[in-house]
Each structure stands twice: as C-alpha cells, then as structure tokens.
Amino acid sequence: MAEDEKNFVAFLGPKASYTHQATLSAFPSPPYTLTPLLTIEDVFAAVQFGTVTRGVVPFENSTNGSVVFTLDLFADLNNKYPDILVCDEVYVPVSHCLLGHDLKKRSSQNPSGHASNSLPETGSMQIPSRTLPQPIIESPLSSGTITPTHSDPHPRKPRAPPLADLSLITKLYSHPQAWGQCHPFLNTYLKGVERQDVSSTSRAAEIVAHDESGNSAAVSSGLAAEVWGLDVLARGIEERGDNCTRFFVLGKRKGEEEYVGTEAERTAEGGGEGMDNTAWKTLVSFTVDHENPGSLAHSLAVFEKYGLNLTSINTRPSSVRNWNYIFFVEIQGRRCGGGGREGPVNQALEELGKACRGWRWLGCERRQVVVRCRMTVEQGSS
C-alpha cells in the first residue's frame, strides 16, 4: 500500500455516531483520514480489500450485550473476510437522547409561522446547540410510572423524563442495540410506537432531520442533535448511567504465514514466558462436536490448564446444521510470534486444536479503560 494511503480509517457511520466518537479517540484527525461507511460489513470489506488500513466497529454493549452483526462477520461462514484481525479496543460511555422536532417550541420562537429549520450544509456546521436542559412537560406520564403486567410485574422507572411533548410521535428510528438500552423510557413514554431499525444511531438522526412533521424521533446522541439541527426531546434515557459500548479496531493479516502479530504486539516490549498476560486479550473462535458429551467443557478446560482467564464467551449459529454453534472466547494473554509452542496462549491453542473440531485466532488487543471522548460539532463534520 502506498505511503500516502496508510492513514485511512473506516468506521460505521454516518458522522456523529458513537463509532465515530470511538474512532476519533483511537485515531485523532489529522493525521488520519476517517471514512464513514453505511454498514459494519462495509467496514470489514474495506479492511479486507485494502481500501483502508484500519476499521472500527461496535462489538458489545454493557447493557444489551454483543452486537450480533459483528459476531456473524467474525464467524465468516462464507470465507469472505479471512484476513481480518482485532488490533485494539476502545470503550466509549453511551448516553442516549430522544431527538426530533419540537413543533411547539419552534412555533413559539417563530410566531410568523414560517418554517425556520433547515438541514446543515455538509461543509459548515456552525449550528446553535439545542441540547440545553428545558422545562419538563407536565402530563399524566410525567411520574414515569409504568403499569405492571404479568410478564413484567416490577417494571423499572426511566431515569429521565421527557423535555417536550411526545404525543405526536408515531415512529422511532435507531440502531437495534439502542432499544434494549433504553427499554424503561421507551416502555413508559412511547409504548406501542412503531420502531424502525437502521444501521446506526446517527443514521436515525439523519432520517428524522428530513421529516419536519414532528411524527418521527430518533434514539441517538446529543452530538447528532447538533449536527443535524434536531431538538432534544429527552436526555439520558438509557437504562443505566454506566452504559458503555466496546469497539474493536480491525486490521488485516499480512502475507501467507500462519501467524503475523498485530501492530500492538510487534511494538510492545517483552514476550514469551515473561510477558504480562493480564495486559492483553486474545479473541478465538472454535467449533465442537455437538454429539460428543463434554466436548465444549473439554475445549474450555485447556484455558484453565494454562492459567488463562476467560473474559467473555459468545455463540452464533454455525450454519452446519440446526442448533450447532460457533463459540467465541476472549482470554487474558496473547500469542507469541512465530506460531511456536512458547507461552501459555500458544500452548493452550495447540491443545484446543485436539479438543475441538476447529479453531481460528482472530487477533488480540491491549486491555483498555473507558475513555471520556467528547466530540465537537467541528469534529463531527470533518
């Protein structure tokens, strides 16, 4: 790849998405050129085919679990992305807002009745913030009380009340992960309202920005409200105040070797038996013989044998036959270069190959902490 192409990074867009915020925290621009793409698979493809050197995708949320679209692409059942590896991870705190057009507020600010809202131009984002707290709209729903049902006898109250009248809203847009993260608020104030899944929360805001009827709303970020000129109808509607999403930075395996270390591994000091395994995590997928009792237990036992802690485990359908699965595990530690037997991770993976049907190393990342990334409107439009 040419020297001037090495700083291109793709992410799940559009701009102002949470993935964009994660990308900026890992790849501040400049010197990196950040490229928003429509879907998670588009990011995988861009890295696989060398259009970019890195990609950033969501992997799991602390409230709503793993992003199945990302897991399915790592499963790679059709062998479309054989060279994709995890290079790094980024944590971003997630605070959702309900965004839309507050027609009552806008009519009071524009008594002439002429429409004053216009979508922002791409190159100029000098947009006044609409995200300041507003008076609570008093209504029978302001208590936040949810009627108990047989299936949910003790429903949770939402953490935040609406800041505007929501009675006109008939359709909601957001990423599928956001619905579960905001269940108490949506079940209290917008129960029964149609929900439309879209590729990202920022895409949801973009769609609502083009509908000035006031009948649609998006679960998205405060930054997206500024970028797309929307009103914040409610703020902090996520179920938990510690809501956080983990993102993976993707790279591409180079050459035909069985093992090529990631950039983080190649630049890190140390290695072999003396390395600090607790500072790293490795992602591995494997399949087992579902007809063999204890096959999964035997596979997982190899990690315990070599003192490797499992930090997560996920499953996805294998497509071999119904009710057969691919298992994804993250373990504390990293492989040693060269594909030899040195180090506990290498030894465990060699033994895993004897206990399971097949396995695949999907890369490793240095363990990170939650970052407090606050984008500006200018960054969101860069």
Side-chain angles (χ1 to χ4, degrees):
M1 185 168 290
E3 189 67 27
D4 59 354
E5 295 178 331
K6 290 185 178 179
N7 288 334
F8 282 80
V9 180
F11 65 91
L12 175 63
K15 296 171 182 178
S17 66
Y18 290 109
T19 310
H20 190 189
Q21 298 178 45
T23 305
L24 278 170
S25 71
F27 302 98
S29 57
Y32 297 97
T33 299
L34 309 184
T35 304
L37 298 179
L38 185 60
T39 67
I40 295 174
E41 184 163 13
D42 289 340
V43 178
F44 270 69
V47 176
Q48 175 66 39
F49 298 120
T51 308
V52 298
T53 53
R54 292 290 183 267
V56 182
V57 296
F59 183 68
E60 68 173 337
N61 176 262
S62 58
T63 300
N64 211 43
S66 298
V67 180
V68 296
F69 308 107
T70 304
L71 283 175
D72 286 341
L73 290 165
F74 276 124
D76 196 22
L77 300 178
N78 297 315
N79 200 34
K80 294 171 64 177
Y81 310 110
D83 301 319
I84 295 295
L85 297 176
V86 177
C87 298
D88 206 351
E89 66 176 359
V90 182
Y91 290 81
V92 173
V94 174
S95 180
H96 289 301
C97 298
L98 184 71
L99 310 182
H101 298 279
D102 186 351
L103 300 185
K104 290 184 179 179
K105 174 183 142 184
R106 295 189 181 195
S107 62
S108 65
Q109 293 176 344
N110 184 26
S112 65
H114 297 297
S116 61
N117 182 53
S118 59
L119 295 178
E121 296 295 331
T122 302
S124 175
M125 290 290 178
Q126 302 301 319
I127 303 170
S129 172
R130 302 179 185 274
T131 62
L132 296 176
Q134 304 172 38
I136 296 175
I137 304 300
E138 295 296 338
S139 75
L141 296 177
S142 295
S143 66
T145 301
I146 310 174
T147 303
T149 63
H150 179 72
S151 60
D152 191 7
H154 304 289
R156 295 186 180 182
K157 292 183 63 174
R159 298 178 63 246
L163 301 174
D165 181 12
L166 309 183
S167 61
L168 295 178
I169 297 174
T170 58
K171 191 166 187 177
L172 297 171
Y173 295 89
S174 197
H175 186 275
Q177 279 270 326
W179 306 129
Q181 297 171 31
C182 304
H183 176 74
F185 180 90
L186 298 177
N187 198 41
T188 301
Y189 298 110
L190 295 164
K191 189 177 182 67
V193 173
E194 179 185 356
R195 301 178 186 181
Q196 177 67 55
D197 292 347
V198 294
S199 58
S200 71
T201 56
S202 54
R203 173 61 178 155
E206 181 182 5
I207 293 171
V208 172
H210 288 82
D211 175 17
E212 297 186 15
S213 67
N215 298 139
S216 63
V219 177
S220 190
S221 67
L223 176 68
E226 297 186 41
V227 169
W228 292 105
L230 292 169
D231 297 303
V232 176
L233 308 180
R235 179 188 304 279
I237 64 174
E238 64 277 2
E239 181 176 355
R240 293 177 58 95
D242 58 356
N243 191 33
C244 185
T245 296
R246 182 160 69 117
F247 300 83
F248 276 162
V249 178
L250 307 180
K252 182 180 179 180
R253 184 194 307 270
K254 302 185 189 305
E256 299 299 326
E257 302 93 334
E258 175 193 1
Y259 170 85
V260 176
T262 63
E263 180 180 358
E265 288 184 292
R266 295 193 300 271
T267 58
E269 296 181 359
E273 297 291 344
M275 77 173 72
D276 180 11
N277 273 328
T278 62
W280 298 85
K281 289 188 293 188
T282 293
L283 180 64
V284 177
S285 65
F286 64 91
T287 57
V288 300
D289 182 357
H290 283 64
E291 303 300 322
N292 181 12
S295 58
L296 176 58
H298 295 153
S299 298
L300 296 176
V302 304
F303 301 114
E304 179 188 16
K305 177 179 177 179
Y306 291 98
L308 298 171
N309 185 37
L310 295 180
T311 60
S312 74
I313 183 168
N314 287 282
T315 64
R316 294 298 294 157
S318 69
S319 293
V320 174
R321 63 176 62 177
N322 288 348
W323 324 123
N324 276 217
Y325 301 93
I326 298 176
F327 297 90
F328 297 86
V329 296
E330 284 184 282
I331 56 177
Q332 283 187 349
R334 57 174 175 149
R335 288 178 78 174
C336 299
R341 299 188 60 187
E342 182 183 6
V345 174
N346 290 39
Q347 294 169 352
L349 291 179
E350 181 180 14
E351 193 163 324
L352 175 64
K354 301 173 183 177
C356 70
R357 274 185 167 173
W359 63 273
R360 180 182 172 189
W361 177 76
L362 294 170
C364 78
E365 71 273 7
R366 188 185 291 274
R367 297 183 67 193
Q368 303 292 344
V369 296
V370 176
V371 298
R372 295 287 173 181
C373 173
R374 168 56 183 163
M375 293 170 61
T376 64
V377 174
E378 288 71 24
Q379 285 177 310
S381 61
S382 62

